[in-house]
Amino acid sequence: MSAGGVGLNGKWLSQPVTGTQRYAGEIARRMLPLLDGPVTLHLPRDADVPSWLPLDVVVRRAPLSGTLFEQLWLPWVARRQLLVSLGGPAPLAARRQIVTMHDASPFRFPDTYSTLFGTWYRLMYRILARRAAAILTVSTFSASELAAVLHVSQGSIVVAGNGSDHVDGVEPSRPQLPHLDEDFVLCVGTFARHKNLAAALTALEAEGIRSVVVGASGGDRVFQAEHRQTWRGATFAGRLSDEEIIWLYDHARCLVFPSRYEGFGLPVIEAQRRGCPVVALAAASIPEVAGDGAVLVAATSDLPGAVLGLEHDESRRDSLRRAGRANASRRRWRDSAATVAEVVRRLQDQNRSR
């Protein structure tokens, strides 16, 4: 049994790094030094202890992993703690916890997911919305969406967005991919239906625009992925290292971000931070996140024209780079971590006053 204080759900440390795991790691490493009192990092059996973990944080490793760790072991051992779950799913049975919900896509785009996965997420979110001491999300758009589908007050959801400064100081490394000496646009995403990647690649291909795609089609157990056709002008990179992705941001003509639904859209501000122009759909959270540092279009069919327009307008590209960098510079992980730490302190104070 763990003593009181704060418990941190470390399930994300056993998973491949996507935007969700990036968020959890960047927030946690900056939040932990801001907290008072004892902190325990609860790890599943197959997770590694992060190198950045403060020395005064207690590590407790479970004999279980995955869902069994999170839904059975974790709520029991952390039952006297304020549990913080930053990586999406959270234990339904935890008595006091802060949960993070990145978006409402299981409700808005249920066909994107397998029946089992979608049903589980919708049930989990509904229960957590009633039981959690606090809900975190990453954008005002996402807060409004979650409030609508979960029937809770938007004002009760705390917005602590993604930062962009994790791309600073990364040494770029050229990926071992073909055609990188030619002009290309960069696409970051999967073939999940709401990501709209297949339609975007087809539109780019029709105008002779070469693309490099970072990301992979979702697993059969989770996503009902788009059928991958053959795009002659697309190079599929799969998963790359941070250093390789940074190289692509630095050398791409622009980032094309065609998603129809995002809680945030981290690649947008990553590209902006690196001075890569952004062309995206004016959908969901993207206008909020991109600010005036992107070319936003109404339809997928408009993406190629926006890309070609930038190609022939150097002053516009330079203007976008400046606006993008200014926008991304306002998105700092330390600010969001401070927001989360304040929520933790507020809940601790409430518990002491009882």
Side-chain angles (χ1 to χ4, degrees):
M1 179 175 61
S2 293
V6 174
L8 183 61
N9 179 355
K11 183 185 174 185
W12 94 87
L13 291 165
S14 66
Q15 299 168 327
V17 177
T18 66
T20 299
Q21 291 75 30
R22 172 79 64 190
Y23 180 87
E26 298 292 344
I27 293 292
R29 69 190 301 175
R30 291 165 176 83
M31 174 191 70
L32 292 177
L34 303 177
L35 301 182
D36 299 322
V39 177
T40 302
L41 172 63
H42 297 286
L43 288 179
R45 181 183 59 199
D46 52 348
D48 295 327
V49 177
S51 61
W52 46 260
L53 192 71
L55 294 177
D56 59 346
V57 173
V58 175
V59 176
R60 180 158 188 178
R61 187 177 297 278
L64 303 173
S65 59
T67 301
L68 292 178
F69 157 78
E70 190 166 63
Q71 298 300 329
L72 296 181
W73 190 86
L74 184 57
W76 173 252
V77 299
R79 65 189 181 277
R80 293 187 177 180
Q81 298 176 329
L82 173 61
L83 185 62
V84 181
S85 294
L86 296 170
L92 301 183
R95 295 177 180 177
R96 297 172 55 240
Q97 71 171 318
I98 299 170
V99 302
T100 307
M101 301 180 184
H102 286 262
D103 59 50
S105 59
F107 296 88
R108 297 305 197 193
F109 289 86
D111 289 346
T112 293
Y113 304 94
S114 69
T115 300
L116 180 60
F117 184 91
T119 301
W120 163 241
Y121 259 68
R122 289 188 293 273
L123 175 64
M124 176 176 60
Y125 273 27
R126 289 187 178 111
I127 294 174
L128 291 173
R130 299 294 180 267
R131 301 201 62 181
I135 300 173
L136 307 175
T137 195
V138 290
S139 66
T140 301
F141 168 81
S142 187
S144 67
E145 287 285 276
L146 289 167
V149 300
L150 297 174
H151 307 292
V152 298
S153 167
Q154 183 174 340
S156 69
I157 301 174
V158 178
V159 176
N162 287 271
S164 66
D165 41 315
H166 60 280
V167 303
D168 295 347
V170 177
E171 187 64 32
S173 176
R174 178 174 173 140
Q176 298 300 309
L177 298 171
H179 308 299
L180 292 184
D181 291 325
E182 305 174 30
D183 282 343
F184 64 90
V185 301
L186 178 62
C187 298
V188 180
T190 71
F191 281 99
R193 290 178 181 173
H194 64 283
K195 299 290 187 179
N196 195 36
L197 181 58
L201 292 178
T202 298
L204 294 170
E205 181 102 345
E207 296 298 329
I209 299 172
R210 179 169 290 280
S211 60
V212 174
V213 182
V214 175
S217 174
D220 291 339
R221 292 186 301 114
V222 178
F223 292 109
Q224 295 175 355
E226 297 281 358
H227 175 67
R228 182 182 299 184
Q229 65 186 72
T230 300
W231 289 280
R232 295 181 180 179
T235 298
F236 292 93
R239 295 190 180 275
L240 297 178
S241 67
D242 287 350
E243 293 79 6
E244 291 170 321
I245 296 173
I246 293 301
W247 190 96
L248 293 173
Y249 282 137
D250 291 350
H251 290 82
R253 185 191 305 181
C254 64
L255 172 72
V256 174
F257 199 72
S259 182
R260 293 183 289 144
Y261 194 86
E262 294 288 328
F264 191 87
L266 182 57
V268 170
I269 59 170
E270 289 180 333
Q272 289 179 332
R273 187 91 178 191
R274 298 299 301 195
C276 179
V278 175
V279 174
L281 284 189
S285 63
I286 301 306
E288 174 188 345
V289 170
D292 60 359
V295 177
L296 302 180
V297 300
T300 305
S301 58
D302 298 328
L303 292 170
V307 171
L308 295 173
L310 286 178
E311 181 181 7
H312 303 296
D313 192 341
E314 184 174 352
S315 64
R316 176 63 172 147
R317 291 199 305 275
D318 290 342
S319 175
L320 272 181
R321 290 189 182 102
R322 289 192 298 271
R325 285 193 174 105
N327 180 67
S329 69
R330 295 189 286 268
R331 304 280 186 173
R332 298 181 296 184
W333 288 111
R334 70 181 186 186
D335 295 337
S336 291
T339 297
V340 178
E342 179 57 32
V343 175
V344 173
R345 287 192 291 266
R346 172 171 56 81
L347 293 174
Q348 287 179 308
D349 289 342
Q350 289 176 0
N351 188 60
R352 294 188 191 105
S353 66
R354 291 175 180 173

